[in-house]
Every structure is written in C-alpha cells, then in structure tokens.
Amino acid sequence: ETLTSGIGARTFLELATAHEVAHQWFFNMVMNDQIDEPWLDEGFAQYLTYIYYLDRYGSSAAESYIEGDWERRWERLDRAEIPIGKAASEYTGEQYGPIIYARAPIFISHLEERMGADTFSEFLEDYVNRYRWKTVDTQDFQAMAEDACGCDLSHLFDEWVNEN
C-alpha cells in the first residue's frame, strides 16, 4: 500500500515511529518552548530520524531519507531561506512543515559539519545532560555549541536560525 506522499505505509510508520521516539529526548527530556521555538524539538526529532536510518540501514538509506523527506519538503518552498528560529505563529501553513521539519534538520546537519562529527556528538551528549528536564532556548543552544567547538557560530546561526 502506498500513501499519497509516494512512500509505502510500512516506511511511513517506521519514519513516524523513529521521529516520535526521538521526541523522548527532544521535547520530553530536553524541553523548549514549542510555540516560540519549535525548531529545537522538531528539527532534532527529524535529525535523529536520519541518525536512526544511518545506524539501521547505512549511509545510502540515510541519504535517501534526507533527499526524500528534507530536500523534497524544502523544495516545496523553492528552498526559501526563511529563518528556522521563528515562532510557530509566524509561519504560514505552507511554510511551517518545510521550514521546521526540513530546513531545521538541514541546519543541524550543517552545524555538525561545521563543528566536526566527533565534537558535535560530544556536544549533543553534553547538551542533553546539561539540559535534562530543563527548558532550553536558541541562545543557550548556540552558546553551548560555541563552547563545545571553541568557535564562533554566529554567522551560521544568522544564516539559518535568526531573523536578520
């Protein structure tokens, strides 16, 4: 059986399950204001879905997930460079999904690339440990990422997250 998005029902259920399980960490364990900063949980749930596919099926399947989900969604807006750090109410219905569920995890993957995979992995572990059962915001997230890499990430955050 194929769903309207062109993927099979089993694939959709696996994707949705991986995404929702990822919410156990991002929004459940590391909380954020879902109304004002939805990218901090939905973007990470999407990113961790990619990590799930990478771990379970390898890089080819993980890249297919990125192309079939993130890239396809963002293409619906012609890859509009709308900031991911806006409040949910500031997006139109057409913009929300592509920006929060596609552009946000693409940003996170760029952040990983900029920081380096090992540093990013350590950062993510430290981030979860530091903010376990607490609420975090974009400013806290950026400061901790910059501390972890010993680098200035303001240009990257300005390009992807912040409204200029």
Side-chain angles (χ1 to χ4, degrees):
E1 179 180 336
T2 302
L3 300 171
T4 56
S5 63
I7 63 172
R10 285 182 184 249
T11 300
F12 174 78
L13 289 174
E14 185 173 13
L15 278 168
T17 300
H19 176 92
E20 296 307 323
V21 168
H23 277 304
Q24 298 304 306
W25 289 272
F26 304 100
F27 171 76
N28 191 22
M29 188 180 296
V30 178
M31 296 173 273
N32 67 288
D33 183 334
Q34 294 175 303
I35 301 299
D36 289 331
E37 296 183 298
W39 82 271
L40 279 168
D41 61 279
E42 295 299 352
F44 271 102
Q46 288 289 88
Y47 177 79
L48 290 180
T49 302
Y50 158 75
I51 297 299
Y52 165 81
Y53 269 83
L54 184 62
D55 185 60
R56 180 150 171 90
Y57 300 110
S59 60
S60 179
E63 291 302 316
S64 290
Y65 165 67
I66 288 173
E67 290 171 16
D69 192 69
W70 303 352
E71 296 291 344
R72 181 183 49 80
R73 282 187 201 220
W74 197 19
E75 282 296 328
R76 284 191 246 154
L77 287 179
D78 296 322
R79 298 181 65 87
E81 295 182 2
I82 298 168
I84 65 174
K86 295 167 56 168
S89 63
E90 294 179 47
Y91 297 104
T92 66
E94 177 185 74
Q95 293 171 337
Y96 186 83
I99 299 304
I100 298 302
Y101 290 89
R103 193 164 193 260
I106 291 170
F107 162 72
I108 294 167
S109 67
H110 282 283
L111 181 62
E112 177 186 27
E113 185 178 302
R114 171 68 174 84
M115 293 176 72
D118 290 340
T119 300
F120 183 78
S121 181
E122 290 173 21
F123 155 69
L124 204 52
E125 186 176 340
D126 291 344
Y127 174 69
V128 169
N129 288 330
R130 179 181 293 175
Y131 289 103
R132 178 174 285 140
W133 312 124
K134 297 176 186 166
T135 301
V136 67
D137 62 21
T138 298
Q139 186 177 3
D140 296 329
F141 177 82
Q142 181 178 345
M144 190 166 177
E146 289 178 339
D147 285 347
C149 69
C151 60
D152 181 3
L153 298 169
S154 58
H155 178 73
L156 189 65
F157 274 77
D158 286 346
E159 181 181 346
W160 289 84
V161 182
N162 304 321
E163 196 143 23
N164 298 324

